[in-house]
């Protein structure tokens, strides 16, 4: 019989709601789960920052509040400190810890009501709405807390108000009372736990097939492990883009192998997906040069290639910005005069000062564009993003709106062309620049050798660049890495567009 830890954290237990196998593996085979990547680490940082901000705001209202030290995995120390603060009748306790039958949970804040002699509990979420998984999460916390002996009268979730604008951060949180919802669900929590907790004692891993639960509500860290166990063919339906949840319908029908004739006979795939299927099977690249030509014939040379790097904060820190608003701090521009001379001119800007980067960036961007033809097409991959950044800048800087609107109006986007008229089997299931470019242009278009390889890593690097504790040598290296990364985006985009024109000329 497997040994079960004396205390199991709520974070691990909640995995059982999504998949009992994931719960079991997280306890007995946690080495099978890869370390968090840069995106997941960024989410952890964001959640911690939001929770800390909420604690500080409540501490202003309740100056006698106390915080239970959040030492990772010091469950017994947290439980003892919480007990001491409860005995002292502390009115507000942050990060209070409770345990019931081996289930351990910490709650962001508990508030004592002296009139009713009962407690209000609140959990902080770094999202802009309450999600179903949040209800499950705080429901489990409440179940543990109530069974541990705390008398609770109200349960709330605080989430980010995306209409809040800096500096008015007193409006940052929206409070949602979920007491009644959880009262109705409370009796079912024991039933849910009894469905997967006993399996921890087994010597064998629970048998659970792949399915939608592998990615919802959150991607499971053991997905790659479970996927490899299934002996799924290398050429499979999971490499067909745009299938979304439909791939799970096909999987349940065991229509997994791309050579399964039923895939083309059934109505499970649309015409475009059937093209992708054929490319995966034949390894022959699909190119609709006629439609490509129709699209790019509208573009005006010299072509200006634009890419922004942005930073976003759950808690806005620049005047007039909202939570999660993308604020550009860097851009790269390549200019291609013609297809007969493939040399390009390059312009770039990176903010390296510890204040709002927008005004300097806008001024420099306009200065750069003033050196370029006024009617040229501005090429951006997924131009909706660049357009949104420009719109936010126009809204905040009306004095620059005309110049910025001129840039926005000239945006053209090669992404829809690749989605609709080009497919290479090496794209796999993605049309991102980092998938498309290496597949069509070769290894030279890969980002693998760069110290910064994606937008999330660029954001984390920028935060470190802005940190006062980062020394000058580190700052210089970060600046160099950021400039190299952003330049790579527009350089690769130039080569992709040249590739599109060559498809038409060789037709």
């Amino acid at each position: 019989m497997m040994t079960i830890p004396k205390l199991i954290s709520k974070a691990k237990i909640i995995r059982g709601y999504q998949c009992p196998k994931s719960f079991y593996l997280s306890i007995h085979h946690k080495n099978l789960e890869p370390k968090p990547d840069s995106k997941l680490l960024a989410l952890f940082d964001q959640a911690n920052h939001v929770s800390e901000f909420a604690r500080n705001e409540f501490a202003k209202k309740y100056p006698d509040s106390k915080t239970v030290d959040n030492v990772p995995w010091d469950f017994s120390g947290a439980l003892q400190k919480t007990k001491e603060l409860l005995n002292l009748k502390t009115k507000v306790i942050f990060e209070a810890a409770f345990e019931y039958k081996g289930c351990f949970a910490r709650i962001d804040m508990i508030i004592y009501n002296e009139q009713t002699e009962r407690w209000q509990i609140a959990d902080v979420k770094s999202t802009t709405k309450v999600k179903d998984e949040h209800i499950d999460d705080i429901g489990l916390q409440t179940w543990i807390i109530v069974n541990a002996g705390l008398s609770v009268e109200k349960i709330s979730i605080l989430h980010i108000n995306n209409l809040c604008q800096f500096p008015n951060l007193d409006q940052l949180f929206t409070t949602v009372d979920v007491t009644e919802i959880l009262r109705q669900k409370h009796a079912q929590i024991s039933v849910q736990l009894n469905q997967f907790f006993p399996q921890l004692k087994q010597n064998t891993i629970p048998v659970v097939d792949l399915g939608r639960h592998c990615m919802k509500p959150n991607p499971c860290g053991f997905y790659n492990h479970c996927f490899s166990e299934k002996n799924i063919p290398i050429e499979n339906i999971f490499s067909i883009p745009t299938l979304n949840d439909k791939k799970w319908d096909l999987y349940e029908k065991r229509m997994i192998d791309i050579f399964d004739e039923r895939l083309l006979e059934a109505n499970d795939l649309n015409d475009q997906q059937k093209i992708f299927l054929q490319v995966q099977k034949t390894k022959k690249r699909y190119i609709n040069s006629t439609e490509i030509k129709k699209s790019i014939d509208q573009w005006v040379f010299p072509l200006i290639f634009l890419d922004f790097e942005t930073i976003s904060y759950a808690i806005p820190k620049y005047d007039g910005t909202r939570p999660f608003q993308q604020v550009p701090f860097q851009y790269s521009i390549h200019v291609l005069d013609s297809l007969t001379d493939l040399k390009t001119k390059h312009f770039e800007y990176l903010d390296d000062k510890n204040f709002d980067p927008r005004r300097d960036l806008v001024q420099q961007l306009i200065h750069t564009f003033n050196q370029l033809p006024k009617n040229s097409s501005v090429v951006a991959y997924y131009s909706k993003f660049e357009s949104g950044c420009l719109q936010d800048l126009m809204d905040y800087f009306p004095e620059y709106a005309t110049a910025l609107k001129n840039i926005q109006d000239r945006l053209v986007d090669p992404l829809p062309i690749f989605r609709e008229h080009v497919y290479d089997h090496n794209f796999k299931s993605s049309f991102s620049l980092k998938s498309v470019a290496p597949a069509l242009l070769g290894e030279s278009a890969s980002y693998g050798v760069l110290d910064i390889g994606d937008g999330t890593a660029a954001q984390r690097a920028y935060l470190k660049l802005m940190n006062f504790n980062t020394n000058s040598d580190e700052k210089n290296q970060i600046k160099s890495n950021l400039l190299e990364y952003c330049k790579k985006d527009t350089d690769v985009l130039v080569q992709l567009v040249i590739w599109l024109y060559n498809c038409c000329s060789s037709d």
Side-chain angles (χ1 to χ4, degrees):
M1 183 177 291
M2 299 295 285
T3 302
I4 302 176
K6 183 179 179 181
L7 293 174
I8 302 176
S9 70
K10 179 266 304 178
K12 286 188 181 292
I13 298 169
I14 207 71
R15 287 179 176 229
Y17 284 51
Q18 185 168 337
C19 174
K21 182 179 180 181
S22 178
F23 177 50
Y24 184 96
L25 292 175
S26 72
I27 301 297
H28 298 308
H29 299 282
K30 53 189 175 184
N31 60 298
L32 296 175
E33 184 172 25
K35 293 181 179 180
D37 59 16
S38 62
K39 292 183 180 180
L40 193 54
L41 289 173
L43 289 176
F44 291 157
D45 290 345
Q46 173 183 285
N48 291 334
H49 186 45
V50 170
S51 294
E52 182 181 3
F53 181 88
R55 286 197 300 271
N56 291 337
E57 290 301 299
F58 267 77
K60 294 176 185 176
K61 185 176 180 181
Y62 302 101
D64 294 332
S65 60
K66 300 294 182 182
T67 300
V68 177
D69 293 338
N70 193 359
V71 179
W73 309 116
D74 182 17
F75 292 174
S76 59
L79 290 169
Q80 180 61 35
K81 181 65 174 178
T82 299
K83 184 177 180 180
E84 292 173 3
L85 292 176
L86 289 173
N87 289 337
L88 291 172
K89 300 186 182 300
T90 308
K91 183 173 178 58
V92 177
I93 306 174
F94 302 125
E95 297 292 339
F98 298 88
E99 177 269 332
Y100 178 68
K101 288 187 175 180
C103 301
F104 175 89
R106 303 187 72 140
I107 191 73
D108 286 326
M109 60 189 78
I110 59 174
I111 305 167
Y112 185 62
N113 186 336
E114 295 175 347
Q115 294 180 336
T116 62
E117 297 184 340
R118 301 175 72 189
W119 292 81
Q120 299 177 10
I121 66 178
D123 203 28
V124 181
K125 299 299 180 185
S126 57
T127 57
T128 58
K129 63 180 180 180
V130 175
K131 301 180 180 180
D132 290 343
E133 57 264 34
H134 297 159
I135 299 297
D136 288 337
D137 189 81
I138 196 171
L140 177 58
Q141 288 176 310
T142 303
W143 180 85
I144 295 170
I145 290 170
V146 169
N147 281 297
L150 200 73
S151 180
V152 175
E153 65 178 4
K154 183 179 179 181
I155 310 147
S156 300
I157 293 177
L158 277 65
H159 69 81
I160 298 290
N161 170 21
N162 61 355
L163 298 179
C164 169
Q165 288 188 329
F166 187 90
N168 301 316
L169 297 184
D170 55 328
Q171 304 295 319
L172 182 65
F173 293 107
T174 296
T175 301
V176 179
D177 187 338
V178 294
T179 310
E180 187 57 37
I181 296 174
L182 293 180
R183 183 176 286 116
Q184 296 173 17
K185 289 178 171 286
H186 187 77
Q188 293 299 313
I189 294 175
S190 293
V191 176
Q192 285 179 289
L193 297 182
N194 286 332
Q195 289 175 350
F196 56 83
F197 243 97
Q199 297 180 52
L200 285 183
K201 299 178 181 180
Q202 299 175 359
N203 291 320
T204 56
I205 298 172
V207 177
V208 181
D209 201 358
L210 299 175
R212 288 173 175 81
H213 60 272
C214 295
M215 294 296 167
K216 294 181 179 179
N218 299 300
C220 177
F222 296 102
Y223 175 76
N224 289 335
H225 168 74
C226 295
F227 191 92
S228 65
E229 287 185 325
K230 295 297 178 180
N231 295 317
I232 292 172
I234 295 176
E235 305 293 348
N236 59 70
I237 52 134
F238 292 95
S239 59
I240 300 175
T242 72
L243 274 182
N244 301 320
D245 271 2
K246 191 183 293 184
K247 63 178 175 285
W248 296 116
D249 296 329
L250 296 172
Y251 178 81
E252 289 166 6
K253 297 175 184 177
R254 291 304 182 257
M255 296 164 63
I256 305 168
D257 194 319
I258 63 170
F259 295 99
D260 190 326
E261 294 181 357
R262 294 176 298 168
L263 285 172
L264 290 176
E265 295 170 358
N267 294 321
D268 295 284
L269 303 180
N270 61 34
D271 290 342
Q272 188 181 37
Q273 289 163 352
K274 289 178 180 179
I275 290 173
F276 299 152
L277 176 63
Q278 290 291 1
V279 172
Q280 291 291 349
K281 291 167 65 174
T282 64
K283 302 297 182 290
K284 293 181 179 179
R285 187 178 289 165
Y286 168 74
I287 301 173
N288 188 334
S289 56
T290 301
E291 292 301 321
I292 293 174
K293 189 173 189 303
K294 285 181 182 177
S295 297
I296 62 179
D297 272 352
Q298 310 302 314
W299 297 1
V300 179
F301 276 85
L303 298 178
I304 303 170
F305 298 81
L306 172 64
D307 179 67
F308 286 129
E309 295 304 326
T310 61
I311 188 71
S312 68
Y313 300 97
I315 304 169
K317 61 180 295 184
Y318 304 133
D319 185 57
T321 58
R322 305 174 303 280
F324 305 109
Q325 180 175 327
Q326 298 292 340
V327 177
F329 62 82
Q330 177 181 9
Y331 67 76
S332 174
I333 291 173
H334 271 87
V335 182
L336 178 65
D337 288 326
S338 71
L339 293 172
T340 56
D341 182 2
L342 298 183
K343 293 181 180 179
T344 59
K345 295 187 288 288
H346 182 242
F347 305 86
E348 61 187 2
Y349 172 81
L350 169 62
D351 168 68
D352 61 352
K353 308 176 185 66
N354 197 19
F355 60 88
D356 188 341
R358 290 174 297 172
R359 183 174 293 277
D360 282 359
L361 181 138
V362 166
Q363 292 175 343
Q364 190 60 41
L365 181 70
I366 293 173
H367 173 72
T368 299
F369 267 87
N370 283 342
Q371 303 173 55
L372 304 174
K374 304 301 181 186
N375 62 341
S376 293
S377 295
V378 179
V379 185
Y381 205 81
Y382 188 54
S383 63
K384 182 179 179 180
F385 182 81
E386 270 68 27
S387 180
C389 290
L390 290 167
Q391 186 62 56
D392 286 340
L393 293 172
M394 281 187 270
D395 292 341
Y396 188 71
F397 297 112
E399 66 271 31
Y400 299 124
T402 300
L404 295 172
K405 185 70 164 60
N406 178 265
I407 300 171
Q408 185 187 50
D409 288 345
R410 290 186 281 152
L411 285 169
V412 296
D413 192 347
L415 174 57
I417 300 175
F418 286 105
R419 278 181 176 161
E420 297 169 22
H421 309 308
V422 180
Y423 187 63
D424 185 284
H425 73 280
N426 287 315
F427 291 1
K428 301 301 182 184
S429 59
S430 173
F431 286 98
S432 72
L433 186 66
K434 293 167 182 62
S435 294
V436 170
L440 298 180
L441 304 175
E443 189 60 28
S444 64
S446 171
Y447 288 68
V449 298
L450 301 184
D451 289 319
I452 295 174
D454 58 54
T456 302
Q459 288 199 2
R460 290 173 64 84
Y462 181 69
L463 289 175
K464 190 171 184 180
L465 179 65
M466 295 296 103
N467 192 319
F468 287 114
N469 294 323
T470 305
N471 64 51
S472 58
D473 288 341
E474 286 182 292
K475 286 179 179 286
N476 289 334
Q477 186 59 57
I478 291 170
K479 287 165 61 177
S480 176
N481 293 342
L482 282 168
L483 290 170
E484 182 182 26
Y485 169 70
C486 197
K487 181 179 180 181
K488 179 81 172 182
D489 274 343
T490 49
D491 184 44
V492 163
L493 189 51
V494 170
Q495 303 309 314
L496 277 178
V497 167
I498 292 173
W499 185 92
L500 288 175
Y501 277 99
N502 288 338
C503 287
C504 302
S505 62
S506 61
D507 194 29

